[in-house]
């Protein structure tokens, strides 16, 4: 037989207004643009106005570089939480934000424009760089389908935000929670800047050192050599004295014996 049977005509498939193939890489950008053109997030806020509020104030990503898988997992999980609260009837808002301070931005500026820039020029270029990175990351977060108040994100470099931080620090000082003390600070000689503890990385090192414990003939001299007080030792005589005092003492009080008349 040379004729082939078209089995598709024999299948009873539903007639749907959407295509059978997902083709998500091509269709998702259109959905995101449609949500933005319709003002979907604002319409959700209007629909839940007056309801119990649920606000997810985002822990900000760093405004430096393209997003990676960690960003995607973080934002998608948060978006699931906010949307689930919205479906439960709450006024669920998501406030995105960015951390715009730190050494990576300064390093990026120094690589592009060189070191030893004047302070005002360094700050201006760093602010422009952070603004550019925020725009790139925001577009990618929207592409993930995350709904939020993207028109009003908070940024740590906003002057109002910096002023509020100083006011809050003033209240902390006035309440006596700030004091002067000594603490080691890690310093980068290459960058000429202090480092946070979590930025310190220790290289793996193989050592031939072997620690062996030996009994000392005179432990007191060993403690004295290192300026350490010897630990207190229990006194056998004291324990014996306690035992003998318990056994030789008067008997505990009890009921009086009956009296004969």
């Amino acid at each position: 037989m040379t004729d082939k049977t078209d089995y598709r005509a024999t299948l009873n498939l539903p007639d749907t207004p959407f295509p059978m193939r997902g083709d998500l890489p091509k269709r998702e950008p259109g959905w995101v643009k449609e949500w933005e053109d319709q003002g979907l997030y604002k319409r959700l806020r209007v629909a839940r106005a007056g309801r119990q509020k649920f606000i997810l104030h985002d822990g900000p990503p760093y405004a430096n570089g393209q997003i990676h898988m960690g960003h995607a997992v973080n934002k998608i999980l948060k978006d699931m939480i906010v949307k689930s609260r919205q479906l439960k009837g709450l006024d669920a808002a998501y406030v995105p934000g960015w951390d715009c301070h730190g050494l990576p931005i300064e390093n990026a500026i120094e690589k592009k424009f060189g070191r030893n820039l004047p302070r005002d020029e360094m700050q201006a270029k760093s602010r422009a760089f952070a603004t550019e990175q925020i725009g790139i990351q925001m577009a990618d977060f929207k592409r993930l389908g995350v709904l939020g108040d993207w028109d009003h994100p908070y940024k740590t470099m906003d002057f109002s935000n910096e002023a509020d931080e100083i006011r809050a620090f003033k209240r902390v000082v006035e309440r006596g929670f700030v004091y002067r003390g000594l603490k080691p600070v890690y310093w980068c000689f290459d960058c000429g800047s202090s480092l946070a503890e979590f930025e310190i990385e220790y290289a793996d090192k193989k050592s031939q050192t072997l620690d062996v414990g030996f009994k000392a003939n005179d432990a007191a001299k060993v403690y004295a050599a290192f300026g350490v007080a010897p630990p207190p030792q229990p006194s056998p005589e004291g324990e014996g004295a306690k035992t003998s005092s318990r056994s030789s003492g008067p008997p505990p009080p009890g009921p009086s014996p009956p009296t004969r008349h």
Side-chain angles (χ1 to χ4, degrees):
M1 294 179 61
T2 57
D3 296 336
K4 294 183 178 180
T5 303
D6 185 6
Y7 290 101
R8 289 180 297 179
T10 65
L11 299 177
N12 186 17
L13 296 176
D15 185 15
T16 61
F18 52 85
M20 295 299 294
R21 294 184 60 184
D23 209 8
L24 296 181
K26 296 181 180 179
R27 295 179 60 82
E28 283 182 349
W31 296 342
V32 173
K33 185 178 184 305
E34 183 179 354
W35 296 344
E36 192 168 357
D37 293 341
Q38 294 177 352
L40 179 60
Y41 181 78
K42 295 180 180 178
R43 293 171 61 184
L44 291 174
R45 300 284 62 74
V46 173
R48 291 292 188 267
R51 299 288 188 90
Q52 179 183 350
K53 283 192 174 293
F54 176 86
I55 301 176
L56 198 160
H57 197 269
D58 193 10
Y62 200 72
N64 183 40
Q66 297 280 351
I67 69 171
H68 48 70
M69 190 58 66
H71 290 101
V73 173
N74 180 283
K75 291 296 176 288
I76 291 173
L77 290 178
K78 291 176 179 177
D79 188 57
M80 292 170 59
I81 293 173
V82 174
K83 288 177 179 175
S84 67
R85 297 301 187 274
Q86 179 79 18
L87 292 174
K88 289 180 66 176
L90 279 66
D91 184 6
Y94 170 65
V95 183
W98 275 270
D99 182 0
C100 312
H101 294 84
L103 193 59
I105 290 180
E106 297 174 6
N107 287 337
I109 298 301
E110 289 182 348
K111 289 179 182 179
K112 189 173 182 179
F113 299 100
R115 294 190 172 185
N116 301 321
L117 293 175
R119 184 190 64 179
D120 293 344
E121 185 177 355
M122 168 64 79
Q123 291 180 349
K125 292 183 181 300
S126 297
R127 184 176 293 273
F129 177 82
T131 302
E132 177 186 2
Q133 298 302 309
I134 289 173
I136 295 173
Q137 292 187 2
M138 182 185 295
D140 291 339
F141 291 151
K142 290 181 179 180
R143 176 62 180 83
L144 295 176
V146 178
L147 294 180
D149 192 4
W150 297 110
D151 294 334
H152 305 93
Y154 75 92
K155 295 172 284 188
T156 60
M157 67 179 180
D158 287 342
F159 296 122
S160 60
N161 190 25
E162 293 177 338
D164 288 339
E165 290 178 354
I166 295 176
R167 294 188 185 100
F169 183 68
K170 174 178 177 290
R171 291 195 296 269
V172 173
V173 173
E174 290 174 346
R175 295 177 183 178
F177 294 115
V178 178
Y179 60 91
R180 184 183 298 275
L182 298 177
K183 179 183 178 181
V185 177
Y186 296 100
W187 183 263
C188 177
F189 290 96
D190 181 64
C191 304
S193 176
S194 59
L195 299 175
E197 293 184 2
F198 67 87
E199 292 179 319
I200 306 300
E201 296 183 1
Y202 295 94
D204 294 333
K205 179 180 180 298
K206 291 184 178 180
S207 177
Q208 304 299 325
T209 302
L210 181 63
D211 296 330
V212 181
F214 295 93
K215 290 184 177 181
N217 292 330
D218 192 342
K221 291 184 178 181
V222 177
Y223 285 117
F226 288 94
V228 179
Q233 299 293 332
S235 174
E237 297 179 357
E239 292 295 328
K242 292 180 181 179
T243 305
S244 61
S245 64
R246 293 195 200 101
S247 58
S248 60
S256 301
T259 305
R260 290 183 179 180
H261 296 284

